[in-house]
Amino acid sequence: MNNRAAFLETEKGKIVVRDTETAEPGEGEILIKVQACAIQPADAKIAKYAIVPMEYPLVLGSPVAGTVEALGPGVSKVAVGERVVCGTKVFVHKKAKYGGVQRFCVVDESEVVEIGNTDFTKAVTLASYTPPGALFGSTTLNMHRPTIPASPLPSSEVGKKILIWGGSSAMGTLSITYAKQAGYIVISTSSPHNFGLLKDLGADHIFDHSDPATVDKIRALFPVDYWFDTISLPSSLSTILKILAPEGAPVTPADIRLLLPPSMPGMPALPDGVTAQMHRFSTHAPENVDWQKWLLSRGGFLEMGIKSGVLKGVPAHVIGGLDSVEEGIEMLSKGVSAKKLVVEPWA
Ligand SMILES: NC(=O)c1ccc[n+]([C@@H]2O[C@H](COP(=O)([O-])OP(=O)(O)OC[C@H]3O[C@@H](n4cnc5c(N)ncnc54)[C@H](OP(=O)(O)O)[C@@H]3O)[C@@H](O)[C@H]2O)c1
């Protein structure tokens, strides 16, 4: 059982594809034979700028989809041979065996989800824990969690609206799907060439993020109850602040959820009454036990959302085998529009 991986050999170094040992899954861990692995903006930021300390040589990539190859001690959630998807733990454990762009990868039992007959490439576009964490965690936006089939919102939530800035991003598309399945009214933004995608996802109000008129169009939809900036760049946060605090008008108080730190260079100052917090979320934290059960248990929302087709994300863009990882990192650094880059380690 030979493993082969795309290694980032040194900090900010080259990506080299080579044979390597196959890891043994430890207590509560599972060895996955990886058929598809997504790469995402965070991978590019680590490969190019080493934004967090990691152990090298390193293997990037998450989530992975494939079949269960072997079970570590104590694992009972899935069986050998089952088709699954799972976020990897490489940013937590920082070791190569936990990265996704390799033929065999070690994942955590608690986060693995069975996918039935869903394509592996499609499954990796759907399995991010960030949108459901940001929307439905008890310490995050704490919105009402969706069910399959959909159930009515409680009366206290009926008619509430969420602004999802960046609706064509990987995080934005999934956030729209989750919020719509829960029953909320969704206002979202993208470039005009992605309006069709946002419409298909069910967004109720869709605006061009680059059109200055979008500010007043969103103000005309007030009140907006929840604010989620899935882009979290100075340009996106500045525009959201124009919606909340236009010159000469009173500030509308809001708490904006971001995916990057509000302290990043170039981020605008927040007016009194407006707060912005970067989403930090552990699926294992004691306060997230209910959330984890709802999303990740056997028969939970993620499994049912993937199998039923309720969950929709950006389309998968398969870039090739392990040799394509370097090219994928370059593509992500330049920025992609409405697509998830996917590597097939056996291609
Ligand atoms: N904190 C966390 O836990 C966490 C987790 C996941 C991701 N993230 C971060 O969240 C960000 C989004 O990740 P992702 O994977 O969803 O990104 P992505 O899919 O690569 O985002 C691409 C999209 O961004 C949109 N976009 C680019 N610049 C924009 C701008 N100035 N205003 C509005 N939209 C803009 C583009 O929309 P159009 O093409 O329609 O213009 C494009 O579709 C990244 O920075 C990532 O590192 C953080």
Side-chain angles (χ1 to χ4, degrees):
M1 199 166 64
N2 285 336
N3 192 11
R4 193 167 171 77
F7 283 102
L8 181 60
E9 292 284 2
T10 53
E11 192 174 285
K12 300 188 222 170
K14 283 260 162 231
I15 292 185
V16 176
V17 177
R18 58 180 167 83
D19 291 343
T20 184
E21 72 280 1
T22 302
E24 290 277 322
E27 179 91 30
E29 293 181 340
I30 298 170
L31 185 69
I32 305 285
K33 183 173 182 181
V34 181
Q35 299 295 346
C37 175
I39 52 172
Q40 43 197 352
D43 294 314
K45 291 173 203 172
I46 288 185
K48 295 279 225 186
Y49 310 113
I51 54 164
V52 282
M54 305 292 279
E55 252 181 45
Y56 294 89
L58 179 70
V59 175
L60 295 165
S62 182
V64 291
T67 50
V68 176
E69 181 72 17
L71 305 177
V75 172
S76 57
K77 190 177 181 185
V78 289
V80 170
E82 279 192 297
R83 303 174 90 255
V84 295
V85 70
C86 192
T88 72
K89 284 280 190 202
V90 65
F91 294 156
V92 177
H93 301 311
K94 303 175 189 300
K95 290 183 189 304
K97 68 177 177 179
Y98 295 107
V101 282
Q102 57 185 327
R103 290 180 175 174
F104 294 97
C105 157
V106 175
V107 299
D108 193 303
E109 173 188 28
S110 64
E111 297 186 355
V112 83
V113 166
E114 197 246 318
I115 60 169
N117 294 325
T118 310
D119 285 348
F120 293 124
T121 50
K122 185 171 182 191
V124 296
T125 68
L126 304 175
S128 172
Y129 315 133
T130 299
L135 299 183
F136 307 118
S138 61
T139 57
T140 57
L141 290 178
N142 202 17
M143 294 164 67
H144 189 74
R145 292 173 193 161
T147 54
I148 299 172
S151 39
L153 279 172
S155 55
S156 58
E157 292 296 287
V158 170
K160 284 195 173 174
K161 301 180 198 116
I162 178 169
L163 173 71
I164 297 171
W165 197 270
S168 64
S169 68
M171 298 304 112
T173 47
L174 287 171
S175 300
I176 293 172
T177 315
Y178 274 101
K180 283 312 299 173
Q181 183 69 13
Y184 289 94
I185 298 166
V186 171
I187 305 163
S188 193
T189 63
S190 72
S191 291
H193 68 95
N194 287 322
F195 283 0
L197 172 69
L198 272 61
K199 200 160 178 248
D200 288 348
L201 297 170
D204 299 279
H205 305 277
I206 303 166
F207 302 110
D208 180 350
H209 61 65
S210 300
D211 179 357
T214 291
V215 169
D216 284 339
K217 287 178 184 168
I218 293 177
R219 282 181 64 77
L221 295 169
F222 273 10
V224 174
D225 305 276
Y226 301 100
W227 298 78
F228 186 18
D229 179 0
T230 71
I231 303 303
S232 306
L233 292 174
S235 58
S236 59
L237 185 57
S238 300
T239 313
I240 291 172
L241 293 183
K242 282 185 194 156
I243 299 168
L244 289 166
E247 254 180 63
V251 174
T252 303
D255 180 30
I256 308 165
R257 191 123 304 246
L258 301 177
L259 292 178
L260 298 174
S263 55
M264 271 190 331
M267 287 296 234
L270 302 174
D272 284 349
V274 176
T275 52
Q277 296 179 55
M278 173 168 164
H279 176 64
R280 293 182 199 278
F281 191 81
S282 164
T283 59
H284 291 285
E287 69 270 21
N288 296 328
V289 168
D290 277 358
W291 176 94
Q292 195 195 72
K293 200 167 162 216
W294 160 71
L295 188 75
L296 296 170
S297 60
R298 194 92 204 202
F301 188 90
L302 187 54
E303 178 185 328
M304 301 319 287
I306 290 173
K307 287 179 174 174
S308 64
V310 159
L311 268 185
K312 295 184 185 121
V314 284
H317 176 76
V318 178
I319 52 172
L322 294 170
D323 290 333
S324 66
V325 172
E326 180 104 48
E327 179 199 342
I329 296 292
E330 291 305 320
M331 289 166 79
L332 285 166
S333 296
K334 289 182 191 132
V336 299
S337 178
K339 62 173 79 152
K340 187 68 130 175
L341 301 190
V342 179
V343 173
E344 293 180 328
W346 294 85

